[in-house]
Amino acid sequence: MAQQIPSNCDPALVEIAREVCSKEGLDFESLTLHQTRGLMYYWCSTCSGTHPLTDLVILKKKKVCTHCDTPVKLYATSNKFGKLRRAIFFQHLAKAITGKKGD
Ligand SMILES: [Zn+2]
């Protein structure tokens, strides 16, 4: 497959990104590496870098970067992928919570 996915990305997150894209009528398979990174990664200004959405947690109703414990914004309206990125993050969160019920 010629899929352009960042190599260190969690396959579960990729699967969620694919689902959210198909719901929104976007062909995930045709996205470039830059675009898939835009969907599955967030920018942390404290770390001065990007991390996968799986490194973002909700603490006290804020999205917090697990690398530096600083609240970050997903900028849902910053570009056309912002809304999708937010949807992917919350879907990942919902699945993570559901997955823990079996413990
Ligand atoms: Zn950070």
Side-chain angles (χ1 to χ4, degrees):
M1 278 179 78
Q3 185 66 59
Q4 298 291 311
I5 292 172
S7 55
N8 61 340
C9 203
D10 186 339
L13 188 61
V14 175
E15 200 47 52
I16 289 166
R18 189 173 282 134
E19 273 176 35
V20 170
C21 283
S22 79
K23 261 186 220 164
E24 295 290 326
L26 193 70
D27 183 13
F28 185 79
E29 313 300 328
S30 71
L31 299 179
T32 64
L33 182 63
H34 179 76
Q35 289 172 318
T36 55
R37 279 188 71 92
L39 282 176
M40 299 188 289
Y41 284 67
Y42 66 93
W43 166 260
C44 176
S45 54
T46 307
C47 293
S48 278
T50 54
H51 304 297
L53 290 176
T54 44
D55 290 355
L56 201 58
V57 295
I58 300 270
L59 280 181
K60 296 172 186 167
K61 295 187 178 177
K62 284 180 177 168
K63 301 170 197 75
V64 176
C65 174
T66 53
H67 296 267
C68 61
D69 294 330
T70 306
V72 297
K73 287 181 177 171
L74 282 181
Y75 297 107
T77 55
S78 63
N79 60 45
K80 69 170 179 169
F81 290 124
K83 196 182 83 168
L84 289 172
R85 181 168 55 230
R86 195 172 174 279
I88 290 165
F89 171 64
F90 281 106
Q91 187 138 337
H92 154 68
L93 210 65
K95 287 201 176 180
I97 290 164
T98 311
K100 278 174 190 166
K101 276 182 184 169
D103 292 349

